[in-house]
Amino acid sequence: MLDLFADTPPWQEPLGPGATILRRRALAEADALLSGIASVSAQSPFRQMVTPGGYTMSVAMTNCGTVGWTTDMHGYLYAGVDPHTGQHWPPMPPAFLPFAQACAREAGYDHFQPDACLINRYAPGAKLSLHQDKDEKALREPIVSVSLGLPAVFQFGGLKRNDPLQRVLLEHGDVVVWGGESRLYYHGIQPLKEGHHPVTGAFRYNLTFRHT
Ligand code: SIN
Ligand code: FE2
């Protein structure tokens, strides 16, 4: 039978074991998520963090939630206080938690309770080198990653750094959820191409919800 809804947003694409792309899942919530990002970054501004090795990251970051991901001279850590402002990270805006939980549930992860949301801002040229998200203690919980604005090429590999990479274009409103067997898979973002997005201008924003 002809499925009239097959290409109607949102739709799901399998990415790997325990990993799913919810295409355009955030379209309806995009305005609320972007105004949430604006209010968080008014309190805890975007900044380019410096890695323990002394390298300034090209992606600008801030956080909301009870803890936030940050760096110091010794390593990467979750902290309750934004080292830049000396204040607690802003709480998650009201739209964030229910949206992240709904996405997790649709990808097969019930009862997701994220306490941190890292907010990444990519300008043209910004990239995120291949890495594992391994600073969380709750490795049974998924990562819920929301893409807004300019498109970017997401690399998704395997447990070893040199495993073959899938490359998928993530567009405005796409959500990737990975957990279970793929929770520690290497992933990254290729350098952002120049562009103009009607909603976010010259930027791509990414939210990653984590249970730390
Ligand atoms: C991340 O790996 O933390 C972010 C990925 C993305 O920007 O899509
Ligand atoms: Fe990551």
Side-chain angles (χ1 to χ4, degrees), residues 10 54 70 79 86 201:
T70 186

Side-chain angles (χ1 to χ4, degrees), residues 117-134:
C117 174
L118 171 66
I119 307 175
N120 293 324
R121 186 185 68 191
Y122 298 75
K127 67 179 168 77
L128 202 57
S129 306
L130 219 50
H131 67 279
Q132 294 170 294
D133 290 359
K134 60 176 184 194

Side-chain angles (χ1 to χ4, degrees), residues 44-61:
S44 271
F46 282 105
R47 82 294 309 259
Q48 288 172 261
M49 294 184 188
V50 179
T51 68
Y55 163 82
T56 301
M57 300 180 76
S58 57
V59 180
M61 298 177 172

Side-chain angles (χ1 to χ4, degrees), residues 118 120 122 128 131 133 145 147 154 170 187 189 204 206 208 210:
L118 171 66
N120 293 324
Y122 298 75
L128 202 57
H131 67 279
D133 290 359
S145 167
S147 293
F154 181 62
L170 295 181
H187 59 278
I189 292 284
R204 169 180 187 258
N206 169 260
T208 44
R210 301 123 185 273

Side-chain angles (χ1 to χ4, degrees), residues 156-158 160-167 186:
F156 196 68
K160 297 196 296 288
R161 185 179 283 279
N162 57 4
D163 281 337
L165 298 175
Q166 297 184 64
R167 288 184 176 79
Y186 276 89

Side-chain angles (χ1 to χ4, degrees), residues 7-177:
D7 293 323
T8 314
W11 68 94
Q12 293 200 9
E13 289 172 20
L15 179 65
T20 310
I21 308 178
L22 310 174
R23 290 287 188 191
R24 316 296 189 265
R25 179 61 180 80
L27 279 185
E29 285 85 356
D31 286 352
L33 296 173
L34 285 163
S35 51
I37 293 170
S39 75
V40 168
S41 63
Q43 298 167 73
S44 271
F46 282 105
R47 82 294 309 259
Q48 288 172 261
M49 294 184 188
V50 179
T51 68
Y55 163 82
T56 301
M57 300 180 76
S58 57
V59 180
M61 298 177 172
T62 184
N63 288 271
C64 56
T66 52
V67 290
W69 187 87
T70 186
T71 60
D72 69 10
M73 62 204 295
H74 307 293
Y76 305 104
L77 65 150
Y78 281 100
V81 167
D82 174 355
H84 190 81
T85 63
Q87 306 290 312
H88 287 282
W89 297 104
M92 285 192 209
F96 281 33
L97 184 64
F99 179 69
Q101 291 179 321
C103 292
R105 198 177 316 112
E106 289 164 30
Y109 299 96
D110 287 338
H111 315 297
F112 180 46
Q113 283 293 347
D115 52 356
C117 174
L118 171 66
I119 307 175
N120 293 324
R121 186 185 68 191
Y122 298 75
K127 67 179 168 77
L128 202 57
S129 306
L130 219 50
H131 67 279
Q132 294 170 294
D133 290 359
K134 60 176 184 194
D135 300 316
E136 302 75 28
K137 291 191 203 86
L139 291 173
R140 292 165 167 275
E141 302 294 327
I143 301 286
V144 172
S145 167
V146 183
S147 293
L148 296 166
L150 285 179
V153 178
F154 181 62
Q155 305 168 315
F156 196 68
L159 284 175
K160 297 196 296 288
R161 185 179 283 279
N162 57 4
D163 281 337
L165 298 175
Q166 297 184 64
R167 288 184 176 79
V168 293
L169 188 70
L170 295 181
E171 295 181 69
H172 182 64
D174 288 347
V175 178
V176 185
V177 182

